[in-house]
Amino acid sequence: MKTTTKTTERNVGIDIGKSTLDIFVLEQDNHWQTDNTEAGVRALAARLARYKLARIVVEATGGYERKLVYALAEKGLPVVVVQPMHVRQFAKAQGILAKTDKLDARVIAEFGAIMKPPIRQIQTKKIRYFRDLLARRRQLMEARTQELNRLDKADKAIQSTHKRLIKILDKEVAWVTAKLERTVGEVTEWQETYEIVTSVPGVGDGVAHTLLGELPELGSLSPRQVAALCGLAPVNKDSGSFKGKRRIKGGRAPIRTMLYMAMMCAVQHNPVMKKFYAKLVAAGKHKKVALTACMRKLVTILNAMVRDGRRWQEV
């Protein structure tokens, strides 16, 4: 489907492969391909900088898009990363079932022109590095848990190999944790946020580091926005006379997971959360529902504390 528009701005779709990039400028019906290499990305960013662009849309591809997105962002170009599922649903709605690299690039460009996904600021190198450290720590902790589970079931003859690997993993976790702490100490704003967040009973380094890396917007959002970004905003599922259960959905999973672990501690040791949780359970709420409500309340409180620059006070 050919899209016409009166604006002089261009919508660009880029289909990202491991070794190649397919670029489609919708308003010019122009397609070309380049290598997904440092040199290819630099040349592409320079070429696109000559256009007056509305947005450049790329799909999240598990990491292959990162160097391109960062290069475009450094040029000040309006790049936005979207979920592949959303683009495929958009294509199916138009009856487009065929799939080639050129066609995919065109569909991505059309998705950008019609759906107009919001352009968000790309995170700084410091935050990206911090997030990479957080991701690595999660990977190491998952591997450690797996080895502990295997050790528990292993015969004595092979227990030593599990123990050796667990020691190595412990050293790697300690190394990453030290890097996280050092990075926080190097940024004054992060140190202030860290001290505010950890002043809350039940909130430790894990939650504080995760919020710094995964939710840099903390303190600048409304209560509804911060709950939605953490995946803690209930989503309605109603149709006609049918009233479905409201469930949380989407958001940034690492934050939600860490907040859940923190809340398991907070409902025992934080007087405010303990009282709120007991009130919900007494009102007949399922314990998991009550925990989710406490998580939402906690992140809302943390957002307000960082916004106002104040530490925890029991209320």
Side-chain angles (χ1 to χ4, degrees):
M1 182 183 76
K2 197 163 184 175
T3 302
T4 58
T5 178
K6 294 180 180 179
T7 182
T8 58
E9 292 186 336
R10 308 287 188 259
N11 288 276
V12 179
I14 303 179
D15 182 62
I16 299 173
K18 184 177 180 179
S19 57
T20 60
L21 303 170
D22 281 82
I23 303 94
F24 197 95
V25 182
L26 184 62
E27 289 74 11
Q28 292 183 337
D29 197 27
N30 184 19
H31 166 262
W32 73 92
Q33 190 178 81
T34 189
D35 294 332
N36 191 3
T37 61
E38 294 288 345
V41 166
R42 283 198 303 270
L44 175 59
R47 179 172 177 176
L48 290 177
R50 297 197 294 266
Y51 289 97
K52 183 179 180 182
L53 298 174
R55 58 182 49 77
I56 304 168
V57 184
V58 303
E59 293 178 317
T61 58
Y64 291 127
E65 81 284 356
R66 292 178 69 176
K67 61 186 174 187
L68 172 65
V69 170
Y70 299 154
L72 295 175
E74 286 172 5
K75 282 279 188 180
L77 297 173
V79 60
V80 55
V81 182
V82 299
Q83 292 299 318
M85 179 182 67
H86 296 164
V87 178
R88 290 314 304 163
Q89 289 174 338
F90 174 81
K92 287 180 181 179
Q94 298 183 83
I96 300 174
L97 303 179
K99 197 176 188 306
T100 66
D101 293 339
K102 178 180 178 180
L103 181 58
D104 286 350
R106 182 187 185 103
V107 169
I108 294 169
E110 289 181 343
F111 177 87
I114 295 172
M115 303 306 296
K116 294 180 172 53
I119 299 165
R120 298 185 177 91
Q121 185 176 1
I122 301 300
Q123 294 169 341
T124 64
K125 286 184 179 180
K126 181 73 77 173
I127 292 178
R128 298 200 301 263
Y129 171 67
F130 198 79
R131 288 188 67 182
D132 287 342
L133 287 174
L134 286 171
R136 185 57 184 154
R137 191 178 189 279
R138 286 195 298 271
Q139 293 164 359
L140 292 168
M141 291 302 294
E142 287 171 6
R144 185 179 184 277
T145 299
Q146 290 171 353
E147 281 304 304
L148 285 171
N149 291 336
R150 294 183 187 117
L151 174 62
D152 189 50
K153 301 172 186 176
D155 291 333
K156 282 189 176 181
I158 61 169
Q159 284 183 354
S160 60
T161 182
H162 293 290
K163 291 177 180 178
R164 284 195 298 270
L165 185 51
I166 289 168
K167 274 190 176 182
I168 293 171
L169 290 169
D170 284 340
K171 288 182 180 179
E172 290 299 312
V173 169
W175 182 86
V176 173
T177 301
K179 287 283 187 182
L180 287 167
E181 292 172 352
R182 191 176 302 119
T183 305
V184 171
E186 291 171 354
V187 183
T188 303
E189 294 81 2
W190 284 10
Q191 186 63 38
E192 292 172 356
T193 301
Y194 171 84
E195 290 173 359
I196 290 171
V197 169
T198 53
S199 71
V200 179
V203 175
D205 287 350
V207 175
H209 290 159
T210 300
L211 290 174
L212 286 172
E214 301 288 349
L215 193 63
E217 304 95 337
L218 189 69
S220 63
L221 302 169
S222 69
R224 186 184 296 274
Q225 288 172 329
V226 74
L229 276 179
C230 294
L232 296 171
V235 178
N236 291 344
K237 195 174 182 181
D238 303 333
S239 180
S241 60
F242 173 77
K243 302 296 180 183
K245 288 185 178 180
R246 301 176 75 198
R247 301 180 186 275
I248 58 174
K249 193 174 183 181
R252 300 173 186 174
I255 305 174
R256 189 167 58 250
T257 300
M258 192 58 70
L259 284 174
Y260 179 82
M261 300 303 295
M263 192 49 60
M264 296 291 287
C265 174
V267 294
Q268 300 294 326
H269 304 290
N270 184 312
V272 173
M273 291 300 152
K274 185 175 183 179
K275 182 179 178 181
F276 185 59
Y277 176 76
K279 180 181 177 181
L280 293 172
V281 172
K285 297 291 184 183
H286 190 281
K287 289 185 177 180
K288 282 191 175 181
V289 174
L291 276 175
T292 301
C294 289
M295 290 159 61
R296 187 163 58 249
K297 183 179 179 71
L298 175 61
V299 77
T300 302
I301 290 173
L302 290 171
N303 184 62
M305 288 171 60
V306 174
R307 180 195 64 209
D308 301 336
R310 60 182 174 85
R311 301 192 183 190
W312 173 261
Q313 293 179 347
E314 290 185 24
V315 294

